[in-house]
């Protein structure tokens, strides 16, 4: 689950290609705010266009700050969306209109222009290359973007699939735990192959050891599943899902997430519903 604890995060510049502009929308689910990523290959701003990932909320002040970081109108090649949640996508159309570019997303409803995004695509802009990796689970349309570069830019932008602090919500019913576990395995394989070293997340600070982070995420999910199994045994739940009580997800939350701030229990219940669905096969 997400959490607001830990050192404050303010964004900044990372590697040779990335700037993170932090949106002013901090909260229990957004941590310090949404990370909007401005990516640009090294070179003069007038000669090298930017790619903007997740313009964030529809805040004129934030969008203006992103536009300035990206070089202003005429200097942004495209906007990419990791997924459709409003804290990532709400300002995308307005931002694209400000700087004069399109919006690319997996879900056609969030595109501006004719170009979409699909697993296996490569977005190439003035020396910058991003490989599109389908990472469904948090949502059905979740994507990650791998920067094809040498260190220190060998990074993956994960949106909400991996967070800079805490763990993410599998947003049932759109999100599916089986798909999420497969996505974590896929990112883990990329880290194991040294294709990515660093995580540039959608919320929270940059994570410098991608392999260790993904090891932790996978172990955490396995631990949570075992805790849910134990909760079902404690609650003496019938084996047949048709006879499960309607309030079962909340009852499981109260056992498994007892150490989590109750303000996050609503989100925890989404994850529990996804876990129960997964365990039912």
């Amino acid at each position: 689950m997400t959490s607001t604890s830990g050192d404050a995060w303010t964004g900044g510049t990372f590697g040779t290609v990335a700037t993170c502009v932090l949106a002013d929308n901090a909260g229990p689910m957004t941590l310090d705010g949404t990370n909007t990523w401005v990516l640009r290959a090294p070179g003069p701003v007038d000669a090298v266009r930017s790619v903007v990932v997740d313009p964030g909320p529809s805040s004129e002040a934030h969008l203006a700050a992103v536009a300035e970081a990206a070089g202003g109108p005429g200097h942004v090649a495209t906007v990419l969306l990791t997924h459709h949640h409003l804290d990532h996508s709400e300002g995308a159309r307005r931002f694209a209109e400000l700087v004069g570019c399109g919006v690319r997303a997996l879900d056609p409803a969030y595109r501006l222009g004719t170009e979409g995004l699909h697993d296996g695509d490569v977005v190439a802009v003035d020396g910058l290359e991003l490989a599109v990796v389908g990472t469904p689970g948090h949502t059905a349309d979740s994507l990650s973007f791998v920067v094809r570069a040498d260190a220190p830019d060998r990074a993956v932008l994960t949106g909400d699939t991996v967070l800079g602090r805490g763990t993410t919500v599998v947003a049932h019913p759109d999100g599916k735990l089986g798909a999420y576990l497969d996505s974590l395995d896929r990112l883990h394989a990329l880290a194991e192959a040294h294709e990515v070293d660093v995580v540039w997340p959608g919320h929270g600070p940059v994570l410098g050891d991608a392999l260790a982070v993904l090891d932790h995420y996978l172990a955490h999910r396995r631990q949570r599943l075992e805790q849910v199994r134990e909760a079902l045994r404690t609650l003496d739940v019938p084996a047949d899902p048709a006879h499960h009580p309607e309030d079962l997800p909340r009852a499981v939350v109260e056992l498994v997430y007892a150490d989590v701030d109750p303000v996050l229990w609503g989100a925890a219940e989404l994850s529990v519903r996804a876990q129960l669905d997964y365990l039912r096969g």
Side-chain angles (χ1 to χ4, degrees), residues 55 89-98 101 103 109-113:
S89 69
E90 184 183 39
R93 179 176 290 270
R94 172 61 177 156
F95 177 78
E97 292 169 348
L98 287 172
C101 71
V103 178
Y110 293 86
R111 299 173 188 169
L112 180 61

Side-chain angles (χ1 to χ4, degrees), residues 55-69:
S58 188
S59 158
E60 289 296 319
H62 176 64
L63 299 182
V66 174
E68 181 178 2

Side-chain angles (χ1 to χ4, degrees), residues 97-190:
E97 292 169 348
L98 287 172
V99 298
C101 71
V103 178
R104 299 179 65 178
L106 178 60
D107 187 336
Y110 293 86
R111 299 173 188 169
L112 180 61
T114 59
E115 288 190 289
L117 283 175
H118 302 281
D119 178 59
D121 286 351
V122 175
V123 179
V125 175
D126 298 343
L128 177 75
E129 281 196 3
L130 302 174
V132 181
V133 181
T135 49
H138 170 67
T139 61
D141 67 335
S142 288
L143 299 171
S144 296
F145 306 117
V146 173
V147 182
R148 289 183 169 174
D150 296 326
D153 299 314
R154 204 155 42 221
V156 58
L157 291 92
T158 54
D160 285 358
T161 297
V162 176
L163 302 178
R165 192 185 302 117
T167 55
T168 197
V169 173
V170 178
H172 181 82
D174 181 43
K176 302 291 185 184
L177 182 56
Y180 184 65
L181 292 171
D182 289 343
S183 293
L184 292 180
D185 281 335
R186 190 171 189 190
L187 292 175
H188 188 276
L190 290 172

Side-chain angles (χ1 to χ4, degrees), residues 64-82:
V66 174
E68 181 178 2
H75 296 291
V76 179
T78 190
V79 167
L80 309 180
L81 295 181
T82 61

